[in-house]
Each structure stands twice: as C-alpha cells, then as structure tokens.
Amino acid sequence: MPRKARQKSSTKVYHIIVRGNAKQDIFLEKQDYSKFIKEMYQTKEKYRNEIYSYCLMSNHVHLVIYDKKENLSKILQSLTISYSSYWNKKYERVGHLFQDRFLSKSIETQSYLRTVCRYIHQNPCKSGVAEMETYRWSSYQESIKENKIIDEKQVLSLFGQDRQEAINNFIQFHKINKKENKIKDLMEYEMVERLNDEQATKYLIEILQLENIQQVSKYNIKERKDCLRKLKNIKGVSCLQIARITGFSRKMIEVIRNE
C-alpha cells in the first residue's frame, strides 16, 4: 500500500520528529550531540532552510524548520545520512540508525508556532532529564542569544518587536504548563497516520478534557454532537475507531465529520 503524501504547509514551516530505529538511542556521548548540531548547521547552509527551534533527546530529535525552497525530504535525508555515517563508523556498526520515515506536521499559524516551540523546549523537563533552562542540547538558550544555528530573530518576533521585551515574553510564555502532567506525546499523536486504540483513547481524553472515556456514555444527543465537533479534524483516528472507543454511532460521527 503506497504511503500517504505529506501534508504541505502554506507557511512552509514544519514540526519535524526523527527517531532512532526501533526507538534505539542515537546519542550516547556529548560528542554525538555536538556532531548532530554541526550537521544541522551544514545542512542548513546547503539547503538555505531556517531552523526556529530544536531539541535533541537520547533517542529522538525535534525540529521546527522553515523550508523556504521546499526541500524538506532532501534536508532530512541529508541530515540523517550524514549523521548515520558518523555514528556507524564511530560505533563500528551497520544498518539503519533512524526510522525510515520522519514525522512532520505543518504549522499554519503564529500561535501554534509559539506553542510548538514551547513544547519542544519543555521536552527535557517533562521527560525528567533536566530543567528546560539548563538543558544543553536544545535551542531554548539560543533563542534569547545571537547564534549561528537557529534564526532567533524570527522566533523572538513572535513575542514582541523590542528585543528585550520579546525575550522577557518568551521566557514567561515558556514557564506556562512547564510542570503540568499532560500527555507527553500529544503533539506527536497529531503527526502519525494511525493510532492504536490505547493511544487514541488517551488522545481523546486529552482533547475532550475527561477523567476517563466512560464519561461520554452519559452524554445526551446534543452533548455527543458537541463532543464530536471537537474531534472533527483530528488525524490518526478513524470514524470506526472513535465509535469503538466512545460507543457513539459511527453514522453520527461520519455526519459530523462531513459537515
């Protein structure tokens, strides 16, 4: 079965995730993190893309890229092949280091761009690895300093026109939800083509702000329709799957989605 075409962004801005093959670690030493950042810079110079934020975790990488020349696949292919070559040589191994297909989600609004950048920078804290402000392998500190990797002026412009005011707003915005115990992979869920029932259930609970999925069985018709309108545009979850999980009529779900 052919792969589904990637969603193109009208703004040419994307949230990207690349993962280690079979969830294996792709960074074992400080040198590995530094090498990947160096490859990001070289790839950026080659394809003239812009990087708005990034975070390198032990087995995956988050990036926000402005792909102005529409070379997204080439950018990611160049970056992962170069780093894989370094890794295989260093650790004397063969085979794929990364999953075959990277995840991508288009970013269409400035408000969503701000939220994605915050989500990416909060990854180390939410994973219990380190505090966001002190984590060395993300663009959080770079966003408030001049640097060569990310295009911090574009990021700061989202938070104000005066540089110092923008920096202050950036810092305050990143403190929001820092300790909140929400689903860590919520944004990744939006990026996959299909969720299993366990993932889909957690996703629906989060979107509908429920304690548990059984709550929806007590809804009347109007409440069910209101609930389904909130789920209308979510990706990775089929009508049949929503019906199976919630007990809603599949016909009702399809009618709401087609409105």
Side-chain angles (χ1 to χ4, degrees), residues 48-234:
R48 312 310 299 172
N49 61 282
E50 295 180 3
I51 299 175
Y52 290 167
S53 67
Y54 70 85
C55 184
L56 279 53
M57 303 295 287
S58 60
N59 66 358
H60 67 283
V61 174
H62 288 272
L63 293 166
V64 173
I65 291 179
Y66 173 44
D67 176 29
K68 53 186 171 183
K69 294 187 179 294
E70 299 189 344
N71 286 317
L72 190 63
S73 293
K74 291 181 180 179
I75 292 167
L76 271 297
Q77 185 180 48
S78 177
L79 176 59
T80 55
I81 288 177
S82 296
Y83 182 75
S84 294
S85 177
Y86 150 84
W87 171 279
N88 287 345
K89 183 177 180 180
K90 177 179 177 180
Y91 295 107
E92 298 180 343
R93 67 180 295 280
V94 294
H96 295 291
L97 177 61
F98 295 96
Q99 284 184 353
D100 287 343
R101 187 169 168 86
F102 62 88
L103 301 177
S104 66
K105 180 174 175 61
S106 64
I107 298 176
E108 301 292 343
T109 66
Q110 290 188 340
S111 62
Y112 189 62
L113 176 56
R114 288 194 296 268
T115 300
V116 171
C117 289
R118 180 178 64 192
Y119 168 79
I120 288 174
H121 291 146
Q122 289 180 351
N123 254 243
C125 177
K126 291 185 176 181
S127 299
V129 174
E131 289 299 311
M132 172 182 64
E133 296 86 350
T134 59
Y135 189 65
R136 184 175 176 181
W137 311 113
S138 86
S139 56
Y140 177 82
Q141 285 296 331
E142 291 185 24
S143 298
I144 53 180
K145 300 176 182 177
E146 293 187 5
N147 60 87
K148 294 184 178 180
I149 302 299
I150 71 164
D151 297 86
E152 90 285 347
K153 290 182 180 179
Q154 294 294 333
V155 175
L156 289 179
S157 69
L158 300 171
F159 296 91
Q161 296 304 309
D162 175 76
R163 181 176 176 82
Q164 191 55 54
E165 179 187 7
I167 289 173
N168 293 337
N169 291 338
F170 174 91
I171 292 171
Q172 291 303 313
F173 181 77
H174 275 68
K175 290 180 179 179
I176 300 172
N177 294 335
K178 183 179 174 184
K179 298 292 186 180
E180 204 167 31
N181 185 25
K182 289 193 173 184
I183 298 174
K184 181 165 66 92
D185 292 330
L186 180 59
M187 288 193 176
E188 283 100 345
Y189 284 169
E190 295 180 349
M191 298 167 75
V192 300
E193 293 181 7
R194 183 60 59 87
L195 306 179
N196 62 38
D197 279 6
E198 181 181 359
Q199 291 172 323
T201 299
K202 290 180 179 179
Y203 192 17
L204 297 184
I205 288 173
E206 177 68 21
I207 291 174
L208 298 175
Q209 299 182 331
L210 304 173
E211 292 295 326
N212 57 69
I213 202 66
Q214 285 72 36
Q215 284 182 247
V216 299
S217 64
K218 300 177 183 178
Y219 287 177
N220 58 38
I221 295 295
K222 181 181 181 303
E223 290 171 329
R224 290 190 173 205
K225 287 183 177 180
D226 290 342
C227 170
L228 288 172
R229 288 190 179 96
K230 294 179 182 178
L231 306 179
K232 182 177 178 180
N233 296 318
I234 67 171

Side-chain angles (χ1 to χ4, degrees), residues 15-28:
H15 176 196
I16 305 295
I17 302 176
V18 291
R19 296 187 182 279
N21 193 28
K23 298 183 179 181
Q24 74 173 81
D25 284 351
I26 53 179
F27 306 111
L28 300 182

